Amino acid sequence: VQLQASGGGLVQSGGSLRLSCAASGFPLDYYAIGWFRQAPGKEREGVACIDNISGSTYYTDSVKGRFTISRDKAKNTVYLQMNNLKPEDTAVYHCAADLDINWSDSSIINFTRAPDAAWGQGTLVTVSS
């Protein structure tokens, strides 16, 4: 399942962007959805995810309190609202549906994808200082 991310752009430090994750031909609410990002010269990291059954969410520490992941079932879209952006948020952002989610006491503790998983179109976020 490959998804298409959009909504990136150039923004000043402290600004906001909302990324969208869309799919055609199948309902996104059947899947847990995750946002990943890869900065130049760095490994890809999981940023946020939302479970399709419980609605539980997870955020990596560096974005907690600034990013919010949400679903709009009617629009078959998952969003990543990014506020108070920092230069270190600069990266190509992807969304994905085939996640490996690790749980502890009904809370998501992290999520990944298979190393050979294919990636759909990402969107570039550039935050200037």
Side-chain angles (χ1 to χ4, degrees):
V1 176
Q2 291 191 15
L3 308 177
Q4 182 166 331
S6 62
L10 174 63
V11 64
Q12 289 187 333
S13 182
S16 298
L17 284 173
R18 188 178 75 164
L19 306 184
S20 299
C21 177
S24 59
F26 60 91
L28 278 183
D29 59 351
Y30 281 14
Y31 300 91
I33 303 296
W35 284 96
F36 297 78
R37 67 185 180 186
Q38 187 166 22
K42 295 187 177 181
E43 292 188 355
R44 183 178 283 115
E45 66 169 337
V47 175
C49 74
I50 183 166
D51 183 54
N52 58 309
I53 298 175
S54 66
S56 296
T57 58
Y58 166 89
Y59 300 93
T60 193
D61 285 346
S62 61
V63 308
K64 283 181 181 176
R66 301 188 297 122
F67 290 12
T68 303
I69 189 170
S70 62
R71 293 181 183 271
D72 186 328
K73 183 177 180 179
K75 295 183 178 180
N76 200 31
T77 300
V78 172
Y79 299 104
L80 185 68
Q81 178 66 44
M82 306 187 297
N83 297 329
N84 190 22
L85 283 160
K86 303 176 180 181
E88 52 263 42
D89 295 317
T90 295
V92 175
Y93 286 71
H94 288 88
C95 57
D98 44 346
L99 306 180
D100 294 323
I101 296 178
N102 294 311
W103 296 83
S104 177
D105 295 330
S106 301
S107 296
I108 299 172
I109 56 175
N110 59 52
F111 70 101
T112 58
R113 294 187 78 205
D116 59 349
W119 294 91
Q121 178 177 318
T123 188
L124 176 63
V125 172
T126 304
V127 185
S128 62
S129 57

